[in-house]
């Protein structure tokens, strides 16, 4: 996964946004100096990590499946510099400062679910991988809202790895390796049993298909095409305002139930069995693991095949087929995967409300689906250009002004950013 180590804003952002993006970096360094002291900032460097959008492959990655994803134009940016103290200190805009001493990187159970856990986990994983670590202080600001389904936590993890790579490893750590380190930190230290999709999509850049058949070495290929703008559509992400941060148990249950079904056949993941195996043992599986586990396993096989169909549609400019498969993904997530709302909190179903509103606003055109982990967060929609204004109005009327993002694909993944002041 080779890509440029350093890029200018002109390489990362649309031309019409360059001035505002440069202003964002100016504000970043001002906030950095304001927080850490005016004497800070002599040896700073700037970094950017994009969020991601999942096109298809909803909850297939953690069972060695396939995913179609893309890096997006929204990103987390950071200013950082090395310090003599053996400590990583990170201040993220809108949050308390987080600090972790590097003298002891053993897991701290009380930190699970916190930013400190991610910092400690990334640093520990760097050491275990034979890489160098050291102290630094950083200030970050993000356009990727927590719980938005655009992978704010994955982007934050990748950012930590990116900074350690550039400050202490001569920018030599491959983005894929950073992604794997980030996933390990989230699994073991943060306590969320996620797959490798989010971190890889944030690190890689562009429109990619990822095959996790060999999870230690997933196959990552760029996909040509994917320009829905050429077919008169915009990609929208609707933020319903809910966070799935407190739904780790709901999220984890999907993976565990799929793996339970796989274990019946003596294997570790569903990719190692076939749908036919499931069909021939339906009654036994229902009795042993319950109907929901069975349905989630069936979703896995259907969604995995759907990724291949979508890649073919993209590469052959079959946009009608593309929209058809996106809508099929929506139905499968709702009926079989069952990650639209939490079974223990049926009073709150923002994703179901958003899907209903999006379907009504689209009037049979375009397509929509759940985006990301589910249970709360965001919905994805492909909206005809001529309907975008009224679509945004109808969705923002429910979820608030600014809740409907119009996104573009970013070709570059995690990178150091060269500004005039740090050329």
């Amino acid at each position: 996964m080779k890509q440029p180590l350093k890029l200018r804003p002109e390489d990362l952002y649309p031309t019409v946004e360059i001035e505002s993006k440069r202003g964002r970096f100016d504000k970043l360094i001002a906030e950095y100096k304001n927080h850490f002291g005016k004497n800070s900032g002599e040896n700073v460097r700037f970094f950017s990590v994009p969020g991601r959008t999942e096109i298809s492959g909803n909850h297939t990655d953690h069972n060695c499946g396939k995913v179609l994803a893309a890096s997006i134009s929204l990103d987390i940016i950071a200013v950082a510099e090395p310090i003599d103290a053996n400590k990583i200190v990170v201040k993220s805009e809108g949050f308390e400062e987080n600090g972790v001493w590097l003298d002891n990187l053993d897991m701290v159970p009380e930190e699970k679910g916190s930013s400190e856990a991610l910092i400690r986990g990334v640093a520990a994983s760097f050491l275990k991988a034979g890489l160098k670590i050291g102290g630094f202080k950083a200030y970050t600001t993000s356009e990727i809202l927590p719980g938005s389904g655009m992978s704010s936590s994955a982007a934050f993890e990748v950012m930590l790895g990116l900074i350690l790579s550039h400050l202490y490893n001569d920018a030599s750590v491959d983005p894929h390796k950073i992604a794997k380190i980030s996933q390990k930190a989230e699994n073991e230290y943060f306590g969320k049993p996620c797959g490798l999709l989010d971190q890889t999509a944030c690190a890689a850049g562009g429109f990619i298909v990822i095959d996790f058949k060999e999870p230690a070495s997933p196959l990552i290929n760029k996909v040509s095409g994917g320009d829905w703008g050429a077919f008169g559509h915009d990609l929208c992400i609707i933020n319903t305002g809910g966070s799935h941060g407190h739904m780790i148990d709901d999220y984890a249950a999907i993976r565990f139930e799929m793996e339970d079904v796989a274990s019946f056949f003596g294997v570790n993941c569903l990719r190692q069995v076939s749908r036919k195996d499931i069909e021939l043992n339906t009654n036994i599986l229902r009795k042993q693991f319950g109907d929901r586990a069975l349905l989630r396993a069936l979703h896995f096989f259907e969604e995995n095949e759907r990724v291949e169909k979508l890649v073919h549609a993209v590469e052959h400019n079959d946009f009608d087929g593309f929209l058809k498969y996106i809508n099929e993904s929506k139905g499968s997530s709702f009926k079989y995967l069952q990650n639209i709302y939490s079974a223990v909190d049926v009073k709150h179903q923002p994703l179901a409300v958003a899907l209903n509103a999006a379907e009504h606003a689209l009037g049979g055109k375009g397509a929509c689906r759940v985006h990301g982990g589910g249970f709360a967060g965001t919905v994805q929609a492909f909206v005809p250009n001529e309907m975008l204004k009224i679509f945004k109005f109808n969705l923002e009327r429910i979820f608030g002004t600014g809740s409907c993002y119009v996104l573009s694909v970013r070709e570059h993944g995690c990178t150091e950013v060269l500004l005039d002041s740090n050329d």
Side-chain angles (χ1 to χ4, degrees):
M1 192 194 300
K2 295 182 179 179
Q3 61 188 53
L5 300 176
K6 301 179 182 180
L7 292 168
R8 296 179 180 277
E10 290 81 0
D11 301 314
L12 292 175
Y13 307 111
T15 302
V16 295
E17 297 180 8
I18 295 301
E19 185 175 345
S20 65
K21 296 298 184 182
R22 283 188 173 274
R24 186 169 167 234
F25 279 100
D26 290 340
K27 180 182 177 184
L28 180 70
I29 187 61
E31 293 293 339
Y32 175 86
K33 291 181 177 180
N34 181 60
H35 181 77
F36 289 110
K38 293 184 178 180
N39 292 329
S40 299
E42 294 183 3
N43 300 299
V44 296
R45 294 163 74 172
F46 298 90
F47 304 92
S48 168
V49 177
R52 70 98 175 105
T53 183
E54 170 199 282
I55 308 300
S56 187
N58 199 208
H59 281 282
T60 55
D61 59 321
H62 49 61
N63 264 256
C64 306
K66 299 177 182 179
V67 180
L68 181 61
S71 300
I72 58 172
S73 49
L74 300 182
D75 64 353
I76 177 175
I77 60 174
V79 55
E81 64 181 325
I83 58 176
D84 293 332
N86 197 30
K87 185 179 185 181
I88 293 176
V89 182
V90 181
K91 172 68 171 74
S92 296
E93 184 179 28
F95 297 91
E96 295 294 322
E97 177 183 289
N98 302 119
V100 171
W101 289 98
L102 304 179
D103 304 307
N104 182 2
L105 294 176
D106 292 340
M107 194 182 309
V108 179
E110 295 77 19
E111 284 183 350
K112 284 189 180 293
S114 70
S115 295
E116 285 92 346
L118 295 177
I119 296 170
R120 194 182 303 276
V122 169
S125 297
F126 256 69
L127 274 185
K128 290 175 183 176
L131 300 167
K132 298 176 182 178
I133 63 172
F136 67 80
K137 54 186 179 182
Y139 194 101
T140 78
T141 182
S142 181
E143 298 171 324
I144 313 165
L145 296 177
S148 67
M150 292 178 273
S151 297
S152 59
S153 61
F156 179 75
E157 298 154 15
V158 171
M159 177 63 79
L160 295 170
L162 180 67
I163 293 172
L164 285 173
S165 173
H166 281 256
L167 295 188
Y168 291 103
N169 294 274
D170 298 319
S172 64
V173 188
D174 182 87
H176 173 51
K177 192 163 192 173
I178 292 176
K180 290 172 68 177
I181 285 171
S182 299
Q183 182 211 18
K184 188 176 181 67
E186 187 156 353
N187 285 176
E188 298 181 0
Y189 281 72
F190 189 81
K192 182 178 179 180
C194 65
L196 191 57
L197 160 64
D198 295 351
Q199 294 83 0
T200 301
C202 290
F207 208 131
I208 56 175
V209 60
I210 312 170
D211 188 339
F212 293 100
K213 185 175 183 179
E214 299 295 337
S217 302
L219 295 176
I220 304 167
N221 292 305
K222 293 277 186 176
V223 177
S224 59
D227 182 11
W228 37 76
F231 293 93
H233 282 67
D234 290 294
L235 168 60
C236 294
I237 299 294
I238 301 96
N239 184 4
T240 66
S243 171
H244 50 229
H246 64 290
M247 297 180 178
I248 292 177
D249 290 344
D250 289 297
Y251 185 94
I254 294 176
R255 177 175 182 169
F256 295 151
E257 289 179 14
M258 287 183 180
E259 290 175 349
D260 282 343
V261 173
S263 71
F264 175 82
F265 300 96
V267 296
N268 297 320
C269 65
L270 287 175
R271 184 68 178 273
Q272 297 172 293
V273 298
S274 69
R275 181 189 174 98
K276 193 68 176 177
D277 294 323
I278 304 296
E279 292 173 348
L280 291 173
N281 293 276
T282 294
N283 289 335
I284 300 174
L285 293 171
R286 290 181 66 194
K287 291 176 182 178
Q288 188 161 339
F289 303 111
D291 288 342
R292 189 175 72 171
L294 171 71
L295 290 169
R296 284 174 165 173
L298 293 172
H299 163 85
F300 172 86
F301 293 107
E302 294 178 6
E303 188 80 346
N304 218 37
E305 291 179 4
R306 207 158 14 246
V307 169
E308 295 181 2
K309 294 175 182 177
L310 273 159
V311 170
H312 184 272
V314 168
E315 292 182 335
H316 291 79
N317 294 318
D318 177 13
F319 197 67
D320 288 339
F322 177 87
L323 295 177
K324 174 178 177 287
Y325 300 133
I326 292 293
N327 280 324
E328 285 183 2
S329 178
K330 169 188 61 184
S332 185
S333 291
F334 214 140
K335 293 182 291 186
Y336 309 131
L337 183 62
Q338 299 180 40
N339 68 332
I340 304 303
Y341 56 88
S342 171
V344 297
D345 184 17
V346 295
K347 184 177 180 180
H348 298 99
Q349 301 185 28
L351 293 185
V353 174
L355 287 169
N356 180 271
E359 289 177 351
H360 183 72
L362 288 169
K365 298 182 179 180
C368 61
R369 63 188 286 276
V370 64
H371 184 249
F375 300 110
T378 58
V379 161
Q380 178 188 78
F382 292 89
V383 183
N385 297 155
E386 69 275 10
M387 301 178 71
L388 180 61
K389 186 175 180 179
I390 188 64
F391 181 88
K392 286 191 66 176
F393 173 82
N394 282 324
L395 272 296
E396 292 187 349
R397 177 176 55 84
I398 299 171
F399 298 106
T401 302
S403 59
C404 182
Y405 300 86
V406 182
L407 303 179
S408 59
V409 172
R410 170 166 144 172
E411 289 303 317
H412 299 289
C414 61
T415 182
E416 182 173 358
V417 180
L418 284 177
L419 303 175
D420 295 337
S421 59
N422 70 327
D423 285 359

